[in-house]
């Protein structure tokens, strides 16, 4: 959450914080700290971005995480 100090009349100051973003959860209910990196050209980000926890991710290569659905697709392509 981004906060900033705002100067008020009379020399007083206030700390104003922006809206807090909800914590994303994995499909299992655990806090999501990762996102699926499967390429999805139709999305603005270019990837799936499904929230994942470290337990539910599949790591096909260093720095790459896949959701269970895309992990199954990746495994099917590999034979």
């Amino acid at each position: 959450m981004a906060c900033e100090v705002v100067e008020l009349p009379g020399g007083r100051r206030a700390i104003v914080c922006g809206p807090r973003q909800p914590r994303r959860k994995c499909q299992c209910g655990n806090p999501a700290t990762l996102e699926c990196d499967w390429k999805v050209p139709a999305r603005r980000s270019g990837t799936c971005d499904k929230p994942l926890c470290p337990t539910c991710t599949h790591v096909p290569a260093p720095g790459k995480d896949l959701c269970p659905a895309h992990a199954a697709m990746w495994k099917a392509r590999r034979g």
Side-chain angles (χ1 to χ4, degrees), residues 6-79:
V6 177
E7 297 292 331
L8 300 173
R12 298 179 74 190
R13 288 188 245 172
I15 298 174
V16 179
C17 297
R20 187 174 184 169
Q21 293 193 0
R23 291 182 187 227
R24 296 181 73 188
K25 294 205 180 238
C26 182
Q27 66 184 13
C28 70
N30 289 328
T33 57
L34 306 164
E35 291 182 339
C36 179
D37 295 315
W38 186 264
K39 299 284 184 205
V40 181
R43 290 185 49 91
R44 181 186 282 181
S45 67
T47 57
C48 170
D49 297 335
K50 186 172 186 173
L52 298 167
C53 72
T55 302
C56 292
T57 189
H58 173 74
V59 182
K64 299 292 180 186
D65 298 285
L66 299 178
C67 64
H70 287 128
M73 292 172 67
W74 182 80
K75 288 176 184 175
R77 287 184 180 184
R78 297 211 21 119

